[in-house]
């Protein structure tokens, strides 16, 4: 289950990076964001831990369930939309819609939400709502995993690192974060077990005994999927930028993830203690591709690869300027001919 959102999320991130639809624009993580992320994550984790200690767990989980019910439906709808499009007949009345929410007026008008969708998306939203109601009423582990997989795939697809150095900062910071909160305290494990929300993938260890009603779960946090996943997706886009028709770095990092996760599970069974997955995933996912780059003599190319933020006005202006210059050059060439 952990491999699926990384593989397909990485493939969809390529299309997302090239897309022009405002509703599918990726969110670019800079080195500054990456440096702050472990601190913000630590504060959030500690805050949740204190909440569970002070307030009733039942009421907190009720609020969180409603929150993730809405988010889960939207995420699952976005995930299944490309797949469901293949099943719609050619004569399906696919009307276009746009949800636009602004503030201010005239020249001071500012867009808050600008989301474009169609009738097919509404059908997907309806199907996702069925899963949402199932999750809300039963909290079944399959419904939890469907939402968890949707969150993970959307995270890998829509969260983009701007370069490899930023990826190393993010993974390095969360490596320390994960090790400290799992080995140094009981905070991470306590929150994970108390938090009734689809922020983790679970699988029943007593499935053969109790069937689908099993209740003894092994769990993997979505952060252990999304964080390495966005780095692997970056390497896929780097592969494509090299224009060599090979995906060497993508497959290398993907294999490294499999190795790191397998090692995590092995160590967990040996020591019978919860393991911080990033302790094994981070060295593998960074180390393997860097070794391949050293062997191929492409370390400089790897660390100099840069992705611009499509939401950054400066990047848009620069892109427009380049387009204008290119158009002007073509015009001059025609004139000379």
């Amino acid at each position: 289950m952990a491999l699926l959102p990384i593989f397909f999320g990485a493939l969809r991130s390529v299309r997302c990076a090239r897309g022009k639809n405002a509703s599918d624009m990726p969110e670019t993580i800079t080195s500054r964001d990456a440096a702050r992320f472990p601190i913000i994550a630590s504060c959030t984790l500690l805050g949740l831990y204190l909440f569970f200690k002070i307030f009733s767990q039942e009421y907190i989980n009720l609020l969180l369930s409603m929150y993730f019910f809405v988010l889960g439906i939207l995420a699952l709808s976005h995930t299944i939309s490309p797949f469901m499009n293949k099943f719609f007949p050619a004569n399906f009345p696919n009307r276009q819609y746009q949800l636009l929410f602004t503030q201010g007026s005239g020249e001071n008008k500012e867009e808050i939400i600008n989301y474009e969708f169609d009738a097919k998306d509404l059908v997907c939203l309806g199907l996702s709502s069925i899963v949402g109601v199932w999750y809300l009423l039963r909290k079944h582990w399959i419904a939890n995993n469907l939402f968890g997989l949707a969150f993970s795939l959307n995270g890998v697809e829509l969260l983009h690192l701007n370069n490899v150095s930023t990826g190393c900062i993010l993974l390095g910071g969360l490596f320390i974060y994960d090790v400290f909160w799992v080995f140094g305290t009981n905070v991470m494990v306590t929150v994970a077990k108390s938090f009734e929300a689809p922020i983790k993938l679970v699988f029943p260890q007593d499935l053969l005994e109790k069937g689908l009603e099993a209740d003894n779960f092994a769990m993997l946090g979505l952060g252990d999927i999304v964080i390495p996943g966005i780095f692997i997706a970056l390497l896929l886009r780097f592969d494509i930028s090299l224009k060599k028709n090979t995906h060497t770095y993508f497959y290398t990092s993907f294999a490294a993830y499999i190795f790191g996760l397998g090692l995590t599970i092995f160590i967990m069974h040996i020591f019978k203690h919860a393991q911080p997955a990033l302790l094994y995933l981070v060295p593998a996912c960074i180390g393997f591709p860097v070794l391949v780059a050293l062997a191929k003599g492409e370390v400089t190319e790897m660390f100099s690869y840069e992705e611009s933020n499509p939401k950054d006005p400066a990047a848009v202006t620069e892109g427009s300027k380049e387009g204008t210059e290119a158009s002007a050059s073509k015009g001059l060439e025609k004139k000379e001919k």
Side-chain angles (χ1 to χ4, degrees):
M1 287 189 293
L3 300 179
L4 290 174
I6 291 179
F7 188 85
F8 291 105
L11 294 178
R12 287 173 60 158
S13 76
V14 176
R15 186 194 65 189
C16 178
R18 295 171 177 171
K20 296 180 180 179
N21 189 347
S23 60
D24 290 332
M25 280 290 184
E27 194 71 38
T28 304
I29 300 173
T30 64
S31 56
R32 192 175 183 179
D33 299 326
R36 290 186 299 192
F37 196 85
I39 300 170
I40 296 169
S42 294
C43 294
T44 305
L45 183 67
L46 187 59
L48 285 170
Y49 177 78
L50 294 174
F51 260 86
F52 281 118
K53 289 293 183 182
I54 298 170
F55 301 104
S56 172
Q57 184 176 320
E58 181 183 351
Y59 294 117
I60 296 172
N61 280 321
L62 180 62
L63 288 171
L64 291 172
S65 295
M66 294 302 297
Y67 176 67
F68 282 102
F69 166 75
V70 176
L71 284 184
I73 289 174
L74 294 174
L76 188 58
S77 176
H78 184 265
T79 300
I80 66 173
S81 183
F83 175 74
M84 290 298 296
N85 285 340
K86 299 176 183 178
F87 294 94
F88 287 101
N91 59 348
F92 182 82
N94 192 31
R95 294 181 178 178
Q96 302 293 318
Y97 303 94
Q98 184 179 21
L99 181 64
L100 182 62
F101 184 67
T102 62
Q103 70 174 8
S105 60
E107 294 180 356
N108 297 322
K109 186 181 287 186
E110 183 183 352
E111 288 186 4
I112 304 299
I113 298 173
N114 186 0
Y115 190 79
E116 298 174 4
F117 57 98
D118 52 35
K120 292 179 180 178
D121 293 326
L122 291 177
V123 173
C124 294
L125 194 66
L127 294 173
S128 301
S129 298
I130 297 172
V131 178
V133 172
W134 181 27
Y135 169 77
L136 199 62
L137 297 178
R138 296 289 306 277
K139 293 291 193 302
H140 199 276
W141 63 272
I142 294 178
N144 174 90
N145 286 352
L146 287 173
F147 276 173
L149 289 169
F151 286 138
S152 300
L153 193 146
N154 279 281
V156 175
E157 176 187 358
L158 299 173
L159 287 174
H160 288 195
L161 296 163
N162 65 347
N163 55 49
V164 174
S165 297
T166 299
C168 293
I169 294 169
L170 181 65
L171 267 67
L174 289 175
F175 171 88
I176 298 169
Y177 158 88
D178 214 22
V179 171
F180 174 77
W181 289 112
V182 173
F183 285 148
T185 69
N186 67 336
V187 172
M188 180 83 80
V189 177
T190 301
V191 171
K193 289 181 177 179
S194 305
F195 208 72
E196 290 183 8
I199 59 162
K200 54 185 180 286
L201 294 182
V202 298
F203 195 83
Q205 296 174 320
D206 52 350
L207 181 65
L208 297 178
E209 299 171 17
K210 298 183 180 180
L212 294 179
E213 298 304 317
D215 55 8
N216 182 26
F217 298 109
M219 64 182 72
L220 178 70
L222 298 190
D224 298 326
I225 301 171
V226 175
I227 299 303
I230 60 177
F231 186 73
I232 294 169
L234 172 68
L235 292 179
L236 173 60
R237 298 192 297 275
F238 169 63
D239 272 324
I240 293 171
S241 74
L242 293 175
K243 299 178 181 179
K244 295 184 178 180
N245 295 323
T246 60
H247 296 156
T248 307
Y249 295 103
F250 171 65
Y251 289 126
T252 300
S253 56
F254 192 70
Y257 183 86
I258 296 172
F259 169 78
L261 196 58
L263 183 60
T264 306
I265 296 169
F266 175 74
I267 298 294
M268 185 176 64
H269 281 288
I270 293 294
F271 291 99
K272 306 297 181 185
H273 187 276
Q275 295 294 314
L278 293 181
L279 173 63
Y280 310 98
L281 291 173
V282 169
C285 289
I286 293 178
F288 283 32
V290 169
L291 288 175
V292 170
L294 282 170
K296 297 181 70 175
E298 294 178 341
V299 175
T300 304
E301 289 88 340
M302 175 186 278
F303 282 90
S304 61
Y305 173 68
E306 185 86 20
E307 288 188 355
S308 60
N309 185 354
K311 295 183 179 180
D312 184 3
V316 174
T317 304
E318 188 177 338
S320 303
K321 185 179 177 182
E322 288 174 359
T324 305
E325 288 174 354
S327 301
S329 298
K330 287 180 181 178
L332 287 171
E333 286 174 8
K334 287 181 180 178
K335 193 173 181 181
E336 286 173 2
K337 287 178 181 178

